[in-house]
Amino acid sequence: SYVKLIIGEADKTTIQVPDLFGLTPSEARDVLHGMNLQVQMFFDEAPQGDSAAYKVCRQEPPYSPITIPVNSGSIIDVYLSKTPCERDSTLLQFETP
């Protein structure tokens, strides 16, 4: 196990949680880092070689149009799988057309 220490000045900026479903690990990392968010990745099985075969199946906090924004620098947990997964449609039920 390890400890990740992030040192910096507190930022009061809030950010809407992005929708990462279906992205590869590198795509999800790029999106989150571009929004000044941290990422913690969990694979359903340890990647052997290229992790591009994995896709985001779930994230915490979840994406939803009504999700409360998170603070800049917050950690988003991303769960990845090689097995295709379905989006949890209950989180999107409040989306407006």
Side-chain angles (χ1 to χ4, degrees):
S1 68
Y2 65 92
V3 174
K4 182 176 184 179
L5 176 63
I6 300 172
I7 299 174
E9 190 173 323
D11 186 354
K12 297 192 187 312
T13 304
T14 58
I15 301 164
Q16 218 37 49
V17 176
D19 182 7
L20 304 173
F21 184 83
L23 297 182
T24 65
S26 62
E27 291 170 336
R29 185 179 298 112
D30 290 347
V31 167
L32 293 172
H33 287 172
M35 297 177 78
N36 197 26
L37 294 169
Q38 302 299 314
V39 63
Q40 183 168 266
M41 296 190 175
F42 300 95
F43 294 85
D44 62 355
E45 58 183 66
Q48 303 295 321
D50 186 18
S51 63
Y54 289 82
K55 304 290 184 203
V56 175
C57 283
R58 188 167 63 91
Q59 66 187 68
E60 289 296 330
Y63 165 76
S64 172
I66 60 169
T67 299
I68 296 171
V70 296
N71 290 330
S72 179
S74 293
I75 297 173
I76 307 297
D77 292 335
V78 175
Y79 298 86
L80 299 122
S81 177
K82 275 188 182 179
T83 307
C85 53
E86 292 187 29
R87 182 187 295 267
D88 183 354
S89 61
T90 60
L91 298 172
L92 302 175
Q93 65 184 342
F94 298 103
E95 195 164 7
T96 54

XYZ file of all heavy atoms in Angstrom:
753
model
N 0.842 -1.178 0.000
C 0.000 0.000 0.000
C 0.887 1.240 0.000
O 2.079 1.166 0.281
C -0.932 -0.013 1.188
O -0.226 0.144 2.381
N 0.273 2.363 -0.312
C 1.025 3.602 -0.372
C 0.129 4.758 0.050
O -1.085 4.638 0.116
C 1.576 3.836 -1.774
C 0.520 4.043 -2.817
C 0.081 5.320 -3.130
C -0.061 2.977 -3.481
C -0.897 5.525 -4.074
C -1.048 3.170 -4.427
C -1.455 4.446 -4.722
O -2.426 4.653 -5.653
N 0.745 5.879 0.326
C 0.030 7.100 0.680
C 0.385 8.153 -0.353
O 1.552 8.353 -0.669
C 0.436 7.597 2.088
C -0.208 8.930 2.387
C 0.079 6.564 3.125
N -0.624 8.810 -0.896
C -0.387 9.872 -1.867
C -0.679 11.192 -1.173
O -1.791 11.442 -0.718
C -1.305 9.700 -3.074
C -1.081 10.731 -4.148
C -1.951 10.448 -5.354
C -1.680 11.400 -6.474
N -2.506 11.097 -7.644
N 0.338 12.025 -1.063
C 0.218 13.316 -0.407
C 0.200 14.394 -1.473
O 1.108 14.493 -2.295
C 1.391 13.538 0.549
C 1.450 14.890 1.251
C 0.239 15.063 2.158
C 2.739 14.979 2.062
N -0.844 15.197 -1.460
C -0.964 16.295 -2.408
C -0.870 17.585 -1.614
O -1.670 17.829 -0.712
C -2.293 16.238 -3.179
C -2.385 14.917 -3.947
C -2.415 17.433 -4.111
C -3.725 14.681 -4.579
N 0.118 18.381 -1.949
C 0.349 19.626 -1.236
C 0.020 20.781 -2.172
O 0.441 20.802 -3.322
C 1.818 19.730 -0.761
C 2.112 18.574 0.183
C 2.069 21.069 -0.098
C 3.551 18.489 0.610
N -0.729 21.701 -1.678
C -1.061 22.858 -2.489
C -1.973 23.790 -1.718
O -2.448 23.480 -0.630
N -2.227 24.914 -2.289
C -3.099 25.889 -1.682
C -4.548 25.497 -1.944
O -4.895 25.058 -3.040
C -2.820 27.267 -2.299
C -3.510 28.389 -1.581
C -3.058 29.734 -2.122
O -1.881 29.881 -2.461
O -3.920 30.628 -2.189
N -5.391 25.647 -0.938
C -6.803 25.305 -1.088
C -7.433 26.182 -2.166
O -7.198 27.377 -2.224
C -7.526 25.470 0.232
N -8.207 25.561 -3.010
C -8.878 26.256 -4.100
C -10.378 26.114 -3.867
O -10.871 25.014 -3.692
C -8.467 25.625 -5.429
C -9.005 26.376 -6.627
O -9.789 27.324 -6.452
O -8.633 26.003 -7.749
N -11.091 27.204 -3.850
C -12.521 27.161 -3.577
C -13.348 26.986 -4.852
O -14.566 27.014 -4.810
C -12.933 28.415 -2.829
C -12.270 28.526 -1.468
C -12.902 29.596 -0.639
C -12.181 29.858 0.646
N -11.813 28.778 1.459
N -12.697 26.761 -5.980
C -13.394 26.553 -7.231
C -14.122 25.215 -7.199
O -13.573 24.223 -6.743
C -12.394 26.538 -8.409
O -11.648 27.738 -8.387
C -13.093 26.390 -9.733
N -15.365 25.190 -7.664
C -16.094 23.928 -7.753
C -16.256 23.540 -9.222
O -16.306 24.399 -10.101
C -17.478 24.001 -7.074
O -18.237 25.042 -7.678
C -17.340 24.249 -5.583
N -16.335 22.234 -9.446
C -16.365 21.684 -10.797
C -17.461 20.635 -10.876
O -17.587 19.797 -9.982
C -15.006 21.041 -11.139
C -13.903 22.083 -11.036
C -15.027 20.386 -12.502
C -12.521 21.506 -10.964
N -18.236 20.661 -11.945
C -19.238 19.633 -12.190
C -18.522 18.324 -12.507
O -17.545 18.315 -13.256
C -20.083 20.065 -13.382
C -21.557 19.788 -13.374
C -22.313 19.900 -12.095
O -22.211 20.873 -11.354
N -23.088 18.900 -11.817
N -18.964 17.220 -11.953
C -18.341 15.917 -12.191
C -18.590 15.513 -13.647
O -19.731 15.494 -14.093
C -18.922 14.850 -11.233
C -18.350 13.481 -11.548
C -18.654 15.229 -9.794
N -17.526 15.191 -14.406
C -17.706 14.830 -15.814
C -18.203 13.393 -15.969
O -18.058 12.569 -15.071
C -16.295 14.975 -16.391
C -15.401 14.661 -15.237
C -16.106 15.214 -14.026
N -18.769 13.106 -17.134
C -19.212 11.752 -17.470
C -18.031 11.016 -18.092
O -17.580 11.359 -19.175
C -20.370 11.831 -18.462
C -20.933 10.473 -18.821
O -20.529 9.460 -18.206
O -21.792 10.425 -19.718
N -17.523 10.001 -17.407
C -16.349 9.254 -17.874
C -16.707 7.888 -18.446
O -15.830 7.171 -18.918
C -15.366 9.082 -16.710
C -14.905 10.377 -16.039
C -14.075 10.064 -14.806
C -14.135 11.240 -17.020
N -17.975 7.520 -18.425
C -18.394 6.185 -18.846
C -17.876 5.853 -20.248
O -18.018 6.626 -21.180
C -19.923 6.067 -18.832
C -20.417 4.687 -19.160
C -20.472 3.716 -18.182
C -20.795 4.354 -20.456
C -20.912 2.432 -18.475
C -21.226 3.088 -20.767
C -21.290 2.121 -19.766
N -17.249 4.684 -20.373
C -16.779 4.199 -21.659
C -15.408 4.701 -22.084
O -14.883 4.274 -23.114
N -14.801 5.594 -21.309
C -13.474 6.102 -21.665
C -12.392 5.100 -21.264
O -12.566 4.311 -20.339
C -13.203 7.434 -20.971
C -14.112 8.608 -21.318
C -13.663 9.861 -20.567
C -14.140 8.853 -22.808
N -11.268 5.153 -21.953
C -10.109 4.346 -21.577
C -9.444 4.998 -20.367
O -9.719 6.163 -20.056
C -9.086 4.263 -22.730
O -8.570 5.582 -22.961
C -9.697 3.695 -24.001
N -8.542 4.279 -19.688
C -7.848 4.888 -18.544
C -7.136 6.195 -18.894
O -7.235 7.176 -18.157
C -6.853 3.808 -18.120
C -7.467 2.532 -18.556
C -8.185 2.867 -19.838
N -6.447 6.225 -20.029
C -5.707 7.446 -20.382
C -6.659 8.590 -20.740
O -6.395 9.748 -20.403
C -4.708 7.192 -21.508
O -5.366 6.789 -22.682
N -7.778 8.280 -21.391
C -8.761 9.321 -21.710
C -9.368 9.897 -20.435
O -9.497 11.119 -20.297
C -9.872 8.760 -22.600
C -9.424 8.418 -24.000
C -10.462 7.636 -24.795
O -11.322 6.960 -24.179
O -10.404 7.682 -26.031
N -9.737 9.019 -19.500
C -10.322 9.476 -18.233
C -9.322 10.333 -17.461
O -9.671 11.393 -16.931
C -10.758 8.276 -17.391
N -8.064 9.896 -17.416
C -7.017 10.647 -16.711
C -6.849 12.027 -17.343
O -6.772 13.041 -16.644
C -5.699 9.876 -16.756
C -4.588 10.529 -15.951
C -3.295 9.729 -15.986
N -3.462 8.410 -15.403
C -3.418 7.252 -16.086
N -3.178 7.249 -17.378
N -3.591 6.101 -15.484
N -6.811 12.088 -18.677
C -6.648 13.362 -19.369
C -7.806 14.322 -19.076
O -7.589 15.510 -18.835
C -6.521 13.155 -20.881
C -5.211 12.514 -21.290
O -4.278 12.438 -20.453
O -5.120 12.053 -22.450
N -9.037 13.800 -19.116
C -10.212 14.639 -18.837
C -10.133 15.200 -17.421
O -10.298 16.400 -17.199
C -11.529 13.841 -19.028
C -12.716 14.595 -18.450
C -11.752 13.539 -20.503
N -9.866 14.321 -16.447
C -9.846 14.757 -15.055
C -8.698 15.714 -14.760
O -8.902 16.745 -14.106
C -9.801 13.545 -14.128
C -11.070 12.687 -14.159
C -10.873 11.415 -13.367
C -12.270 13.472 -13.655
N -7.526 15.407 -15.259
C -6.393 16.306 -15.028
C -6.623 17.655 -15.702
O -6.238 18.693 -15.161
C -5.091 15.672 -15.490
C -4.627 14.587 -14.578
N -3.562 13.768 -14.872
C -5.078 14.148 -13.371
C -3.388 12.905 -13.890
N -4.305 13.117 -12.972
N -7.272 17.649 -16.865
C -7.590 18.896 -17.558
C -8.586 19.756 -16.794
O -8.663 20.965 -17.001
N -9.356 19.126 -15.912
C -10.332 19.849 -15.091
C -9.807 20.119 -13.684
O -10.562 20.534 -12.810
C -11.625 19.032 -15.011
C -12.295 18.836 -16.352
S -13.753 17.793 -16.227
C -14.915 18.973 -15.552
N -8.530 19.837 -13.469
C -7.883 19.998 -12.165
C -8.509 19.084 -11.113
O -8.748 19.481 -9.979
C -7.895 21.447 -11.702
C -6.882 21.691 -10.593
O -5.884 20.985 -10.486
N -7.156 22.665 -9.746
N -8.810 17.841 -11.522
C -9.303 16.816 -10.612
C -8.289 15.681 -10.587
O -7.584 15.448 -11.564
C -10.667 16.283 -11.074
C -11.807 17.298 -11.034
C -13.027 16.751 -11.750
C -12.147 17.662 -9.601
N -8.221 14.981 -9.464
C -7.313 13.842 -9.303
C -8.078 12.568 -9.640
O -9.302 12.530 -9.548
C -6.787 13.783 -7.869
C -6.068 15.037 -7.426
C -4.845 15.323 -8.273
O -4.046 14.441 -8.543
N -4.706 16.563 -8.706
N -7.346 11.525 -9.998
C -7.994 10.260 -10.346
C -7.363 9.121 -9.562
O -6.158 9.101 -9.325
C -7.913 9.993 -11.869
C -6.485 9.845 -12.340
C -8.721 8.767 -12.255
N -8.217 8.207 -9.142
C -7.779 6.973 -8.505
C -8.451 5.848 -9.282
O -9.680 5.818 -9.364
C -8.207 6.966 -7.040
C -7.741 5.763 -6.282
C -7.945 5.963 -4.803
O -7.038 6.394 -4.124
N -9.137 5.663 -4.301
N -7.654 4.968 -9.895
C -8.202 3.930 -10.766
C -8.197 2.565 -10.102
O -7.240 2.199 -9.437
C -7.412 3.879 -12.070
C -7.541 5.133 -12.872
S -6.857 4.957 -14.507
C -7.301 6.525 -15.190
N -9.290 1.843 -10.333
C -9.445 0.486 -9.834
C -9.802 -0.413 -11.013
O -10.792 -0.159 -11.697
C -10.556 0.419 -8.782
C -10.303 1.295 -7.592
C -10.829 2.578 -7.531
C -9.524 0.841 -6.545
C -10.596 3.388 -6.432
C -9.281 1.648 -5.435
C -9.812 2.919 -5.382
N -8.989 -1.433 -11.252
C -9.215 -2.373 -12.355
C -9.861 -3.638 -11.806
O -9.507 -4.090 -10.722
C -7.893 -2.723 -13.044
C -7.265 -1.562 -13.753
C -6.444 -0.667 -13.067
C -7.494 -1.356 -15.094
C -5.865 0.407 -13.723
C -6.910 -0.282 -15.764
C -6.097 0.609 -15.073
N -10.806 -4.240 -12.583
C -11.434 -5.467 -12.117
C -10.448 -6.632 -12.088
O -10.640 -7.595 -11.364
C -12.680 -5.813 -12.924
C -12.423 -6.068 -14.387
O -11.278 -5.895 -14.851
O -13.383 -6.442 -15.091
N -9.393 -6.529 -12.880
C -8.266 -7.465 -12.830
C -7.032 -6.674 -13.248
O -7.126 -5.738 -14.029
C -8.486 -8.668 -13.739
C -8.705 -8.305 -15.198
C -8.995 -9.518 -16.068
O -10.042 -10.136 -15.876
O -8.146 -9.814 -16.940
N -5.898 -7.048 -12.713
C -4.664 -6.304 -13.007
C -4.373 -6.301 -14.499
O -4.384 -7.359 -15.131
C -3.495 -6.908 -12.239
N -4.137 -5.120 -15.082
C -3.832 -5.053 -16.516
C -2.517 -5.752 -16.850
O -1.549 -5.619 -16.113
C -3.734 -3.566 -16.817
C -4.096 -2.840 -15.590
C -4.158 -3.810 -14.474
N -2.527 -6.480 -17.925
C -1.321 -7.122 -18.449
C -0.945 -6.389 -19.730
O -1.561 -6.596 -20.758
C -1.580 -8.614 -18.746
C -2.070 -9.407 -17.562
C -1.032 -9.493 -16.451
O 0.155 -9.637 -16.714
N -1.484 -9.370 -15.225
N 0.025 -5.511 -19.658
C 0.420 -4.734 -20.835
C -0.444 -3.502 -20.995
O -0.679 -2.755 -20.053
N -0.970 -3.313 -22.196
C -1.736 -2.118 -22.546
C -3.086 -2.102 -21.827
O -3.871 -3.039 -21.929
C -1.941 -2.084 -24.061
C -2.597 -0.800 -24.528
O -2.585 0.192 -23.771
O -3.114 -0.793 -25.655
N -3.367 -1.023 -21.120
C -4.628 -0.918 -20.387
C -5.741 -0.293 -21.227
O -6.848 -0.092 -20.727
C -4.424 -0.114 -19.104
O -4.027 1.211 -19.420
N -5.483 -0.016 -22.522
C -6.484 0.612 -23.381
C -7.691 -0.284 -23.622
O -8.743 0.193 -24.048
C -5.859 1.018 -24.709
N -7.567 -1.585 -23.342
C -8.702 -2.497 -23.510
C -9.737 -2.313 -22.408
O -10.856 -2.794 -22.510
C -8.218 -3.941 -23.526
N -9.363 -1.618 -21.332
C -10.271 -1.375 -20.224
C -11.082 -0.115 -20.480
O -10.590 0.837 -21.087
C -9.496 -1.197 -18.918
C -8.895 -2.475 -18.416
C -7.689 -2.940 -18.909
C -9.542 -3.223 -17.440
C -7.134 -4.124 -18.453
C -8.992 -4.402 -16.975
C -7.795 -4.848 -17.481
O -7.257 -6.015 -17.029
N -12.313 -0.119 -20.002
C -13.195 1.048 -20.141
C -13.793 1.379 -18.777
O -14.009 0.511 -17.937
C -14.342 0.753 -21.119
C -13.895 0.308 -22.498
C -13.258 1.420 -23.265
C -12.926 0.931 -24.671
N -11.911 1.662 -25.312
N -14.100 2.644 -18.587
C -14.722 3.089 -17.344
C -16.155 2.551 -17.294
O -16.940 2.773 -18.213
C -14.749 4.631 -17.236
C -15.502 5.076 -15.995
C -13.344 5.200 -17.258
N -16.453 1.818 -16.216
C -17.805 1.284 -16.008
C -18.554 2.033 -14.912
O -19.766 2.055 -14.898
C -17.732 -0.196 -15.645
S -17.427 -1.230 -17.067
N -17.806 2.612 -13.996
C -18.426 3.292 -12.860
C -17.456 4.335 -12.333
O -16.250 4.194 -12.496
C -18.737 2.256 -11.779
C -19.549 2.776 -10.624
C -20.073 1.636 -9.756
N -19.037 0.861 -9.118
C -18.532 1.110 -7.916
N -18.947 2.152 -7.220
N -17.608 0.339 -7.397
N -17.986 5.336 -11.699
C -17.151 6.370 -11.085
C -17.820 6.870 -9.819
O -19.037 6.792 -9.675
C -16.915 7.523 -12.061
C -18.183 8.305 -12.399
C -17.986 9.316 -13.483
O -17.767 8.966 -14.621
N -18.073 10.596 -13.115
N -17.012 7.337 -8.899
C -17.503 7.913 -7.641
C -16.779 9.224 -7.401
O -15.553 9.221 -7.380
C -17.248 6.976 -6.457
C -18.116 5.747 -6.447
C -19.604 6.049 -6.279
O -19.942 7.064 -5.622
O -20.406 5.289 -6.811
N -17.442 10.343 -7.247
C -18.881 10.461 -7.321
C -19.368 10.211 -8.739
O -18.642 10.443 -9.706
C -19.148 11.897 -6.888
C -17.866 12.627 -7.039
C -16.777 11.612 -6.966
N -20.612 9.732 -8.860
C -21.151 9.428 -10.180
C -21.481 10.688 -10.964
O -21.703 11.749 -10.380
C -22.420 8.632 -9.869
C -22.835 9.123 -8.523
C -21.558 9.441 -7.788
N -21.515 10.538 -12.277
C -21.964 11.643 -13.128
C -23.484 11.689 -13.091
O -24.153 10.657 -13.158
C -21.507 11.445 -14.574
C -22.259 12.356 -15.521
C -21.939 13.703 -15.595
C -23.315 11.885 -16.290
C -22.640 14.558 -16.430
C -24.019 12.731 -17.120
C -23.687 14.061 -17.192
O -24.380 14.916 -18.005
N -24.021 12.864 -12.988
C -25.448 13.104 -13.100
C -25.627 14.596 -13.344
O -24.871 15.394 -12.800
C -26.164 12.691 -11.812
O -27.519 13.100 -11.859
N -26.615 14.962 -14.147
C -26.845 16.393 -14.378
C -27.170 17.160 -13.104
O -27.031 18.366 -13.061
C -28.030 16.426 -15.340
C -28.109 15.069 -15.924
C -27.499 14.127 -14.937
N -27.591 16.444 -12.051
C -27.945 17.115 -10.802
C -26.913 16.887 -9.705
O -27.146 17.209 -8.556
C -29.340 16.683 -10.315
C -29.393 15.181 -10.077
C -30.412 17.133 -11.274
C -30.642 14.717 -9.348
N -25.749 16.314 -10.053
C -24.707 16.071 -9.056
C -24.205 17.395 -8.493
O -24.011 18.367 -9.218
C -23.520 15.322 -9.695
O -23.989 14.069 -10.177
C -22.400 15.085 -8.719
N -23.980 17.406 -7.206
C -23.406 18.581 -6.556
C -21.961 18.716 -7.012
O -21.222 17.722 -7.030
C -23.482 18.436 -5.029
C -24.953 18.383 -4.594
C -22.740 19.571 -4.334
C -25.169 18.030 -3.156
N -21.530 19.899 -7.409
C -20.136 20.069 -7.854
C -19.137 19.687 -6.767
O -19.442 19.761 -5.580
C -20.047 21.563 -8.169
C -21.453 22.027 -8.341
C -22.287 21.141 -7.460
N -17.955 19.270 -7.191
C -16.873 18.926 -6.262
C -15.843 20.051 -6.288
O -15.789 20.841 -7.226
C -16.212 17.578 -6.632
C -17.205 16.436 -6.505
C -15.611 17.618 -8.027
N -15.022 20.099 -5.262
C -13.966 21.112 -5.202
C -12.848 20.778 -6.169
O -12.548 19.601 -6.396
C -13.397 21.205 -3.787
C -14.383 21.802 -2.814
O -15.223 22.611 -3.187
N -14.300 21.398 -1.566
N -12.239 21.794 -6.707
C -11.062 21.619 -7.554
C -10.024 20.825 -6.782
O -9.830 21.040 -5.590
C -10.514 22.996 -7.930
O -9.374 22.879 -8.712
N -9.392 19.853 -7.430
C -8.387 19.024 -6.780
C -8.952 17.767 -6.137
O -8.198 16.945 -5.622
N -10.281 17.609 -6.146
C -10.906 16.424 -5.551
C -10.497 15.153 -6.285
O -10.126 15.189 -7.457
C -12.434 16.539 -5.597
O -12.881 17.575 -4.768
N -10.613 14.035 -5.587
C -10.290 12.736 -6.174
C -11.565 12.093 -6.700
O -12.574 12.020 -6.002
C -9.632 11.803 -5.141
C -8.302 12.394 -4.681
C -9.436 10.403 -5.720
C -7.650 11.650 -3.543
N -11.504 11.616 -7.937
C -12.598 10.866 -8.549
C -12.134 9.419 -8.656
O -11.081 9.142 -9.233
C -12.947 11.415 -9.959
C -13.212 12.927 -9.925
C -14.121 10.644 -10.561
C -14.384 13.362 -9.097
N -12.903 8.498 -8.080
C -12.591 7.074 -8.183
C -13.184 6.544 -9.478
O -14.367 6.770 -9.769
C -13.179 6.300 -7.009
C -12.503 6.633 -5.688
O -11.340 7.065 -5.715
O -13.146 6.449 -4.641
N -12.358 5.843 -10.253
C -12.764 5.318 -11.550
C -12.592 3.799 -11.519
O -11.525 3.303 -11.159
C -11.904 5.945 -12.677
C -12.220 5.336 -14.013
C -12.112 7.452 -12.718
N -13.657 3.069 -11.879
C -13.647 1.604 -11.877
C -13.668 1.136 -13.329
O -14.562 1.490 -14.088
C -14.856 1.073 -11.106
C -14.823 1.515 -9.664
C -15.347 2.747 -9.284
C -14.232 0.725 -8.692
C -15.286 3.173 -7.959
C -14.169 1.141 -7.367
C -14.699 2.366 -7.016
O -14.633 2.777 -5.713
N -12.637 0.342 -13.698
C -12.441 -0.066 -15.083
C -12.578 -1.569 -15.250
O -12.210 -2.342 -14.363
C -11.052 0.376 -15.545
C -10.863 1.884 -15.485
C -9.701 2.233 -14.609
C -10.715 2.450 -16.855
N -13.082 -1.959 -16.431
C -13.273 -3.374 -16.720
C -13.033 -3.639 -18.198
O -13.280 -2.780 -19.041
C -14.710 -3.775 -16.357
O -14.946 -5.118 -16.689
N -12.560 -4.852 -18.499
C -12.448 -5.293 -19.893
C -13.800 -5.779 -20.394
O -14.081 -5.741 -21.579
C -11.456 -6.460 -20.000
C -10.026 -6.060 -20.128
C -9.217 -7.306 -20.416
C -7.761 -7.016 -20.525
N -6.981 -8.223 -20.788
N -14.616 -6.267 -19.472
C -15.938 -6.779 -19.815
C -16.885 -5.617 -20.047
O -16.969 -4.720 -19.198
C -16.483 -7.653 -18.657
O -15.513 -8.636 -18.338
C -17.796 -8.299 -19.024
N -17.603 -5.605 -21.166
C -18.546 -4.510 -21.413
C -19.554 -4.390 -20.273
O -20.003 -5.380 -19.712
C -19.242 -4.923 -22.708
C -18.283 -5.838 -23.372
C -17.575 -6.566 -22.260
N -19.880 -3.172 -19.915
C -20.841 -2.942 -18.839
C -21.889 -1.945 -19.320
O -21.677 -1.229 -20.283
C -20.132 -2.445 -17.592
S -19.083 -1.019 -17.865
N -22.993 -1.929 -18.609
C -24.075 -1.013 -18.960
C -24.074 0.176 -18.018
O -23.765 0.049 -16.845
C -25.412 -1.735 -18.886
C -25.560 -2.800 -19.957
C -26.949 -3.394 -19.989
O -27.913 -2.687 -19.619
O -27.069 -4.552 -20.386
N -24.449 1.299 -18.557
C -24.544 2.533 -17.779
C -25.716 2.416 -16.808
O -26.759 1.862 -17.144
C -24.774 3.703 -18.718
C -24.837 5.044 -18.040
C -25.242 6.127 -19.004
N -24.274 6.356 -20.041
C -23.290 7.261 -19.977
N -23.161 7.995 -18.911
N -22.470 7.417 -20.975
N -25.549 2.936 -15.606
C -26.618 2.969 -14.615
C -27.563 4.101 -15.000
O -27.289 5.269 -14.734
C -26.042 3.179 -13.220
C -27.102 3.144 -12.131
O -28.310 3.076 -12.470
O -26.728 3.198 -10.952
N -28.669 3.755 -15.639
C -29.592 4.770 -16.162
C -30.334 5.520 -15.061
O -30.881 6.587 -15.311
C -30.582 4.138 -17.133
O -31.351 3.160 -16.465
N -30.359 5.010 -13.842
C -31.050 5.724 -12.761
C -30.361 7.045 -12.446
O -30.986 7.967 -11.954
C -31.130 4.878 -11.474
O -29.810 4.576 -11.034
C -31.918 3.601 -11.708
N -29.062 7.143 -12.752
C -28.342 8.383 -12.481
C -28.645 9.460 -13.509
O -28.420 10.631 -13.271
C -26.829 8.122 -12.456
C -26.351 7.170 -11.371
C -24.881 6.859 -11.577
C -26.596 7.770 -10.002
N -29.176 9.058 -14.663
C -29.409 10.014 -15.742
C -30.875 10.381 -15.888
O -31.246 11.105 -16.788
C -28.897 9.431 -17.063
C -27.421 9.066 -17.080
C -27.060 8.378 -18.389
C -26.554 10.270 -16.868
N -31.730 9.905 -15.002
C -33.164 10.082 -15.170
C -33.610 11.536 -15.104
O -34.687 11.879 -15.578
C -33.926 9.241 -14.160
C -33.714 9.666 -12.717
C -34.427 8.739 -11.765
O -35.312 8.014 -12.159
N -34.025 8.761 -10.517
N -32.805 12.414 -14.539
C -33.200 13.808 -14.415
C -32.630 14.682 -15.531
O -32.784 15.874 -15.514
C -32.755 14.359 -13.054
C -33.405 13.632 -11.907
C -32.692 12.691 -11.193
C -34.713 13.878 -11.595
C -33.296 12.012 -10.139
C -35.332 13.198 -10.539
C -34.610 12.270 -9.826
N -31.980 14.053 -16.495
C -31.385 14.803 -17.591
C -32.486 15.425 -18.444
O -33.486 14.791 -18.759
C -30.526 13.866 -18.444
C -29.601 14.591 -19.358
C -28.523 13.674 -19.892
O -28.573 12.473 -19.660
O -27.637 14.204 -20.558
N -32.286 16.657 -18.828
C -33.279 17.333 -19.650
C -32.920 17.155 -21.115
O -31.762 17.130 -21.474
C -33.335 18.835 -19.312
O -32.036 19.385 -19.430
C -33.867 19.047 -17.913
N -33.916 17.042 -21.987
C -33.649 16.843 -23.428
C -33.042 18.061 -24.082
O -33.103 19.126 -23.647
C -35.017 16.524 -24.023
C -36.044 16.867 -23.002
C -35.326 17.021 -21.684
